[in-house]
Every structure is written in C-alpha cells, then in structure tokens.
Amino acid sequence: MNRLITGLLMIVIGACYAGNERAAMEEILAADRAFAQATAEGGVEGWISYFADDGVMISGGGEVAGGQAVRELMSPAFADSSFSLTWEPIRGEVSAANDLGYTIGRYESRRVGDAGDTTVEKGLYVTIWRKQVDGSWRVALDIGDCEEAAPSGS
C-alpha cells in the first residue's frame, strides 16, 4: 500500500512539475511576442523596455551590456523611419527552477536606402530570458545571426 501511495505521489508531483514547466515556457514565448510588439510600436524604447538592467546584446561581432549601451547601439537603426524589425519565436525552453529560459526564432529587418532600394536582412536569434523579482521575464542576453542581407525589389 505504501508503494502504491508513493508511486501515485510521484506521478502527481511529476505532473505538477511538467505543468509548471509548460506554463513557464508559454510565459517566455508570450514575453518574446510581446517584446516584438513593443518594439514594433515603440521603436528603441520598446526594445529597451524588455531588457534586464544588466542585459547584454551581441551584435556585429561586438557586445554591449546595460540598458544605456543597448539604447546607444540600437538608436541609430530605429531613428531611420524606413527601418523595421520583426521576429517570431520558433521554440523555447525553461530551467527546472522556471527562472531562466531561452527562445529561438527568426527575424527580419528592412531598410530603404537613399536610392529607394530596400535591403532585407533575415536571420536567427537566441534570447535568454531571466525571471525578475516581480515575476516578469526580461532579456538577459540577445544574439542575432544574419543568414542573408540582400537588396529587394519591394
């Protein structure tokens, strides 16, 4: 009888853990999508709003850390009214403690040049998310990898 009760408790505990892990994974996927929406609507301020205070961004072979440094790096791109950046997560994972996770997805940026030609850059990204004291998820590390950058006819 004790073995039966112990076995049932293990199943219940395992199901609760799996449910918490799935819920946390859905939270970071939702945070990633909200990050994209905030960026589309608010530009650099939307971008910065999802970074942790000590968040790091790796771009163009360099690394910047902290909100002000990330703002300085991204401000010129967002200052260009023809610039757009969109992305969508493909999948995510969370730690056993449900306080750290990552998302992987595809991004696309577009910019219209002086001659009217549109340059499109497509690539993959990895974002590492850290749960904050208030329960929100913030970007601890963001890395993008360009697959292609080419002029487009549109």
Side-chain angles (χ1 to χ4, degrees):
M1 184 65 146
N2 281 342
R3 288 184 189 174
L4 177 62
I5 292 172
T6 301
L8 289 173
L9 283 173
M10 295 303 288
I11 291 170
V12 169
I13 290 169
C16 288
Y17 171 75
N20 289 340
E21 186 177 328
R22 264 187 252 111
M25 184 180 69
E26 289 302 320
E27 285 178 13
I28 64 168
L29 289 170
D32 198 326
R33 290 181 183 108
F35 178 28
Q37 184 68 31
T39 300
E41 293 173 358
V44 74
E45 294 308 316
W47 179 263
I48 292 300
S49 72
Y50 274 80
F51 270 78
D53 291 341
D54 60 348
V56 175
M57 188 174 158
I58 296 176
S59 177
E63 168 190 332
V64 295
Q68 187 57 34
V70 172
R71 177 182 277 109
E72 288 171 12
L73 176 69
M74 296 300 289
S75 285
F78 285 107
D80 179 348
S81 63
S82 74
F83 175 75
S84 67
L85 175 62
T86 58
W87 69 90
E88 177 68 26
I90 298 169
R91 70 174 197 262
E93 294 287 332
V94 293
S95 66
N98 294 329
D99 61 353
L100 193 65
Y102 68 86
T103 51
I104 296 173
R106 296 197 172 279
Y107 75 88
E108 179 179 290
S109 68
R110 291 177 172 265
R111 178 182 330 256
V112 178
D114 294 336
D117 56 322
T118 301
T119 300
V120 178
E121 178 182 301
K122 296 180 180 185
L124 294 169
Y125 70 88
V126 175
T127 302
I128 298 177
W129 297 86
R130 185 173 52 231
K131 193 170 239 182
Q132 305 298 293
V133 175
D134 68 0
S136 66
W137 288 92
R138 293 289 178 250
V139 175
L141 176 65
D142 186 70
I143 305 167
D145 182 33
C146 176
E147 292 177 336
E148 61 181 81
S152 168
S154 53

